[in-house]
Amino acid sequence: MDFYGSTADELRTWATGLGMPAFRGQQIFDGIWQPHALTWSAVPGLPRDLLARLEAVGPLAPATEERRQESADGTIKSLLRLRDGALAECVSIPTADRHTICVSSQVGCAVGCTFCASGLNGVERDLSAGEIAYQVLHHWRHRQVTNVVFMGSGEPLFNYDNVIKAIRLLGEERGLGLGRRRFTVSTSGVPKRIRQLADDEPQVTLAFSLHAADDQTRSKIVPLNRRWPLDEVLDAMQDYSAKVSRRMTLEYVLLGDDNMTVDHAERLAGVAQRFNAHVNLIPFNPVFATPHRRPSEAEIEEFARTARAFGANLTVRGQRGADIDAACGQLRKRVEDAGS
Ligand code: SAH
Ligand code: SF4
């Protein structure tokens, strides 16, 4: 039984299926989503025989913290060890008025972008809905969470059903109660699922990892572009924006010599204007065994100025947690390489 992956309704049904009153299921749901609940015995009101049965099935938490790194800027990166031994990273990013959690949706990633540590060894498996949602609860324990971004390891739209279910679990009123508008799903571009997201969860923000607005450049750095070239993804985004009024985000990792010419800036601005999207420029965070160079501050400034002049609405993302391997997949890779 995946308790963290079950809605209150599902736990009520589970309880009655075992001959218990439905409210036992509700009690379990209410209890396990209390931020302080780390063990079954912290769930209040359970009769002793049920508690013993639950403890016999296994520990309450689907993961334990294997490593924790705290940055001088307050960013905390946790590496969670899942029941089967797999590792998932989640990052807590506190600011004055927000507490954002960056969650992983898969162990590793099949896309294999050339700048990203998550894809270096392919994908190991999908995370379950409970394993995704639990990452938020994990960080909620030290501060209430306000926002969740699917920008950790994995391509969320390749694990679509579990991602949607995790969003719904986190939104449950008697659980954490996070409204849909608190979520951002970031994708490297899966047309069919972009369209589906518009129908299923129109309140969630969509972020598209563009990184280059021409096929020639993009196919080199985002291999998925060879399967679904830009036109196909942009068509899906057109359909998406016909249904959804929320502003979308374009992510653009600044890769030194590879995607920062004046032409690149102009094409980026063209896509941003077409969708009235906001652009996040993300200076490349150097990752072992990737071929790219981090651009200088002057190059970053120049590219931002040029793209703005072509009409892009953009921000340069401040680097958080630079001292703690905060780029997605870096910490897991380091720990796995060390064989620990
Ligand atoms: N797979 C999805 C979501 C996870 S990646 C996607 O690609 O959108 C989330 C973001 O992290 C992406 O925009 C990606 O470009 C960025 N990222 C990955 N590795 C990075 C690195 N080394 N430096 C800077 N940003 C990185
Ligand atoms: Fe996968 Fe996103 Fe990393 Fe690309 S950037 S390899 S899609 S996690």
Side-chain angles (χ1 to χ4, degrees), residues 213-234:
D214 64 279
D215 281 324
Q216 207 194 348
T217 312
R218 193 165 190 273
S219 288
K220 274 193 220 150
I221 54 187
V222 183
L224 200 64
N225 196 74
R226 295 174 216 150
R227 181 151 159 210
W228 293 300
L230 266 175
D231 272 353
E232 287 186 38
V233 182
L234 298 182

Side-chain angles (χ1 to χ4, degrees), residues 109 113 115-117 150-156 186-188 207 209 211 251 253 282-287 327-328:
C109 183
C113 300
F115 52 81
C116 176
F150 284 83
M151 294 183 185
S153 293
E155 170 46 59
S186 173
T187 180
S188 55
S209 287
H211 310 317
E251 288 160 277
V253 175
I282 311 160
F284 170 58
N285 191 342
V287 172
C328 77

Side-chain angles (χ1 to χ4, degrees), residues 6 94 99 144 148 159 168 173 198 214 231 235-236 317 337:
S6 306
H99 180 204
Q144 187 170 335
V148 176
N159 187 16
R168 291 177 181 166
E173 290 231 343
D214 64 279
D231 272 353
D235 277 355
R317 194 186 287 170
D337 287 352

Side-chain angles (χ1 to χ4, degrees), residues 34-251:
Q34 291 298 315
H36 62 266
L38 292 166
T39 59
W40 283 115
S41 55
V43 176
L46 296 180
R48 197 169 299 177
D49 58 334
L50 177 56
L51 184 61
R53 268 165 77 183
L54 291 167
E55 280 172 340
V57 176
L60 170 58
T64 52
E65 191 172 75
E66 172 94 11
R67 290 257 175 123
R68 183 186 186 86
Q69 292 184 321
E70 301 201 20
S71 162
D73 66 15
T75 304
I76 301 172
K77 178 156 192 163
S78 297
L79 186 66
L80 301 182
R81 178 76 73 179
L82 305 167
R83 290 256 172 90
D84 66 351
L87 293 167
E89 293 174 31
C90 54
V91 185
S92 148
I93 307 157
T95 58
D97 56 344
R98 284 186 179 201
H99 180 204
T100 303
I101 308 301
C102 175
V103 297
S104 294
S105 55
Q106 298 181 304
V107 181
C109 183
V111 177
C113 300
T114 52
F115 52 81
C116 176
S118 298
L120 285 174
N121 297 326
V123 65
E124 221 172 274
R125 71 168 171 90
D126 286 340
L127 294 178
S128 69
E131 288 168 335
I132 296 170
Y134 185 79
Q135 297 170 49
V136 176
L137 184 63
H138 180 76
H139 284 296
W140 192 295
R141 292 186 174 123
H142 70 92
R143 182 176 160 186
Q144 187 170 335
V145 172
T146 62
N147 295 78
V148 176
V149 297
F150 284 83
M151 294 183 185
S153 293
E155 170 46 59
L157 298 190
F158 281 163
N159 187 16
Y160 185 85
D161 292 346
N162 290 340
V163 165
I164 297 297
K165 183 152 190 202
I167 291 172
R168 291 177 181 166
L169 286 165
L170 292 165
E172 287 250 356
E173 290 231 343
R174 291 178 64 159
L176 300 183
L178 277 169
R180 298 294 196 270
R181 288 166 176 263
R182 305 290 181 161
F183 293 88
T184 298
V185 171
S186 173
T187 180
S188 55
V190 185
K192 178 175 141 198
R193 299 301 191 190
I194 289 173
R195 291 190 173 93
Q196 195 177 346
L197 189 65
D199 293 326
D200 293 345
E201 290 298 346
Q203 308 243 53
V204 166
T205 298
L206 175 68
F208 173 44
S209 287
L210 181 64
H211 310 317
D214 64 279
D215 281 324
Q216 207 194 348
T217 312
R218 193 165 190 273
S219 288
K220 274 193 220 150
I221 54 187
V222 183
L224 200 64
N225 196 74
R226 295 174 216 150
R227 181 151 159 210
W228 293 300
L230 266 175
D231 272 353
E232 287 186 38
V233 182
L234 298 182
D235 277 355
M237 284 171 56
Q238 192 71 50
D239 293 346
Y240 178 95
S241 58
K243 288 186 181 160
V244 175
S245 55
R246 267 183 100 62
R247 194 169 203 201
M248 37 188 158
T249 304
L250 297 175
E251 288 160 277

